[in-house]
Every structure is written in structure tokens, then in C-alpha cells.
Amino acid sequence: MTAMEEPMLSATQHQRVDRYLAELAGALGGLPETERADVVAGIREHIEAALAGRSPVTDADVDEVLRALGDPLAIAAEATGADGVSGAAAGPAIGGRRDAPVLSRDWVPAFVVVALLAAPLLLTLLATVGGILLLPFAVLAGWAALWLSQLWTPLEKLAGTFLLPALSVLLFFGLFTSGASEVCSGGVREDGTTYESCTTEGGWLTPAVFWAILIGVAAASVATAVVLYRNGRRRAAELAQSFSTGA
């Protein structure tokens, strides 16, 4: 493409394209640097070619082109074979087409949410009957599926790693550690009047503070679970479509 053919983009539109390409480059982290640069350069040329005939270029034009390209994670999954491999290793061939790899299928988002949010909560509540022994296995399995899958961005994976199990961790410490408690003592003075003195012992984590923190963490954990589940299912559907059609 010559310089004369390059579309004239505003600063905001350039930033929109650059963010898209940066997300793509991050998702291509499993490729060698030269191959990653080639894929990103090819997508950039495609964007410029799609916008070259539009003058002036509007924000809607940029959004339309990027939307037509699809999710950067889906592009990266195709470029890397979805698990950094290609051919039969990426999935069984059916009629000359390949299935999406196991950790990029539609059941993975639900598994991650259950393993990192629901299972730790249940096992923590069942700690007195041995449930706590299974907790590390559930969390490790959830973390492995979250980080090995191509269904989420690095930022989403970080959020899932810390925020999904956070509720059960807080609940565990709330159940098995003693927070602050109020201790009162009193007596009778020489003049016959009574008195009572109360002090707080055991630290700053009063029941009110604990419940306030618990509600905040619960809201963050549930919101993270919803985002990971919806984004994961959407990207899994896009990957399944791309693999089934050979796109």
C-alpha cells in the first residue's frame, strides 16, 4: 500500500486500532517474535486496506472493520492452533476440518467459574468434614484451565485468578479466625451505684468491618464470574465457528 492510499485516521481512531493490535499481539505471545510481528502487520494492512476507500473515515467505519475481523483472541487462536500448535494436535479432524482445542470449548468457562468460585465456597463450608482437603485441587484445576485456555485476555485471567477465589478465602478466614470482640466488665461502687466498662479485643476486624468487606468482595467475585463466563462463551462460539468452517 502506498502512502497516498493510507487512510487518514484521527488520533482517537488510531488509538482504537492500536489497542486492537496490541491485544492481538498479547494473545500471540506463544509465537516467535518474528511470526507475531508478521501476523500483526498483516492485520494492520488489512485494516488500512479496508479503510482506504472511505473518506473521511468515521468512528463507525473503524468499528465496522474491527468487528468484521473478529475478536483478537480468535485470530490468535487460529494463528497459533489455539494452543500454540497446529495440525492434528490442535484438535481431531472431521471431514477435513478441525475441532476447537479442548480448553477453547464452550464448557470451559463454566468449569473455571465452578472450580474457582463455587467449589471453593462449598468446600470451605464443608471444611469440618474434610472438604478443605479438596480445595487446593479445585483451585489448581481452575487456574490451569483459565491460563491455558485462549478464551480470555491476560487482564481477564489476572482478574479471575485473584477475584474468583477471593470470596472463599475471606470466608475461610472469617470462619476459622477470631476477629475483634467486645469484652465488658463491671461492678458496684462504694456508693452503691453500678458501672460497666467495655473494651474491644482481638484486632480491628470487627463483625461490622468483616461483613462490609465480605459484601464488597462478593460483589467483585460475582461480577468477575459473569464477565469471564459471558466472554468465554462468546469466544468459544466464535472459535468453534472458525474451526468448523475452516475460516
Side-chain angles (χ1 to χ4, degrees), residues 74-128:
I75 297 175
E78 294 181 42
T80 62
D83 279 333
V85 294
S86 59
I94 301 178
R97 306 301 185 191
R98 289 180 292 119
D99 288 337
V102 173
L103 290 180
S104 293
R105 296 181 185 175
D106 57 3
W107 58 266
V108 176
F111 174 80
V112 168
V113 171
V114 169
L116 293 180
L117 178 61
L121 281 174
L122 179 61
L123 294 176
T124 297
L125 295 175
L126 297 177
T128 56

Side-chain angles (χ1 to χ4, degrees), residues 219-235:
S221 296
V222 172
T224 301
V226 171
V227 170
L228 291 185
Y229 181 79
R230 287 182 175 177
N231 288 353
R233 290 278 297 184
R234 174 174 57 81
R235 289 165 181 154

Side-chain angles (χ1 to χ4, degrees), residues 65-242:
V65 171
L66 297 182
R67 188 165 50 248
L69 280 169
D71 195 298
L73 291 184
I75 297 175
E78 294 181 42
T80 62
D83 279 333
V85 294
S86 59
I94 301 178
R97 306 301 185 191
R98 289 180 292 119
D99 288 337
V102 173
L103 290 180
S104 293
R105 296 181 185 175
D106 57 3
W107 58 266
V108 176
F111 174 80
V112 168
V113 171
V114 169
L116 293 180
L117 178 61
L121 281 174
L122 179 61
L123 294 176
T124 297
L125 295 175
L126 297 177
T128 56
V129 294
I132 200 67
L133 299 177
L134 299 176
L135 181 58
F137 297 99
V139 173
L140 289 175
W143 279 339
L146 177 66
W147 281 96
L148 292 176
S149 176
Q150 293 288 332
L151 297 179
W152 296 284
T153 66
L155 184 60
E156 290 171 340
K157 291 179 180 181
L158 281 175
T161 298
F162 295 106
L163 292 180
L164 286 183
L167 181 57
S168 59
V169 171
L170 184 60
L171 182 60
F172 175 84
F173 282 105
L175 290 175
F176 296 98
T177 61
S178 58
S181 60
E182 191 176 50
V183 178
C184 297
S185 61
V188 181
R189 298 187 180 91
E190 293 181 357
D191 59 4
T193 61
T194 60
Y195 68 92
E196 185 179 53
S197 176
C198 297
T199 60
T200 301
E201 297 180 354
W204 62 272
L205 192 60
T206 63
V209 172
F210 172 77
W211 280 105
I213 295 175
L214 183 66
I215 291 172
V217 171
S221 296
V222 172
T224 301
V226 171
V227 170
L228 291 185
Y229 181 79
R230 287 182 175 177
N231 288 353
R233 290 278 297 184
R234 174 174 57 81
R235 289 165 181 154
E238 292 173 354
L239 283 173
Q241 180 66 24
S242 67

